[in-house]
């Protein structure tokens, strides 16, 4: 009955697992401030998106809003992680071409 919703939630679980992996990478680099900012931004999205989607689409809206929120979290954490990596290792982030 809810096969599509279940598949969306499984995909959402994948993105949450990836976000957790990136979170631990940021924590290892001692970037707790960035992780806090990412979770605050995500919590704002989690107040707005489900209110709209669940009201309009019911159970499908719940699954889609969960997916969107986890994707937002993953993307924000990934951006912060890449920024921290470039800041911490500027010599590796810049590649030189061999002529």
């Amino acid at each position: 009955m809810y096969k599509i919703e279940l598949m969306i939630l499984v995909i959402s679980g994948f993105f949450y697992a990836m976000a957790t992996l990136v979170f631990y990478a940021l924590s290892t680099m001692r970037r707790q401030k960035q992780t806090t900012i990412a979770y605050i931004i995500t919590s704002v999205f989690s107040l707005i998106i489900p209110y709209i989607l669940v009201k309009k689409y019911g159970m499908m809206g719940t699954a889609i809003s969960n997916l969107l929120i986890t994707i937002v979290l993953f993307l924000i954490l990934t951006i912060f992680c890449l920024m921290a990596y470039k800041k911490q290792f500027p010599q590796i982030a810049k590649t030189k071409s061999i002529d």
Side-chain angles (χ1 to χ4, degrees):
M1 184 171 188
Y2 292 113
K3 286 182 183 179
I4 296 173
E5 289 86 348
L6 177 62
M7 292 306 299
I8 292 171
L9 290 174
V10 169
I11 294 168
S12 177
F14 167 77
F15 279 105
Y16 187 73
M18 296 306 295
T20 302
L21 183 70
V22 177
F23 168 79
Y24 285 125
L26 279 168
S27 294
T28 303
M29 290 188 273
R30 299 178 187 259
R31 304 289 183 181
Q32 285 81 10
K33 187 176 182 180
Q34 283 86 355
T35 59
T36 303
I37 292 169
Y39 276 99
I40 289 171
I41 293 170
T42 305
S43 68
V44 171
F45 274 96
S46 70
L47 292 173
I48 298 167
I49 293 173
Y51 181 77
I52 296 167
L53 292 179
V54 173
K55 195 173 191 179
K56 191 168 184 177
Y57 299 109
M59 185 63 92
M60 179 61 81
T62 303
I64 291 172
S65 65
N66 189 350
L67 177 64
L68 291 175
I69 291 165
T70 54
I71 288 173
V72 166
L73 178 64
F74 170 68
L75 290 177
I76 293 171
L77 288 173
T78 301
I79 289 168
F80 283 154
C81 188
L82 291 174
M83 289 170 47
Y85 182 78
K86 286 181 181 179
K87 188 175 182 180
Q88 193 164 353
F89 302 106
Q91 68 277 9
I92 297 173
K94 295 179 184 178
T95 58
K96 294 181 180 180
S97 61
I98 300 173
D99 293 318

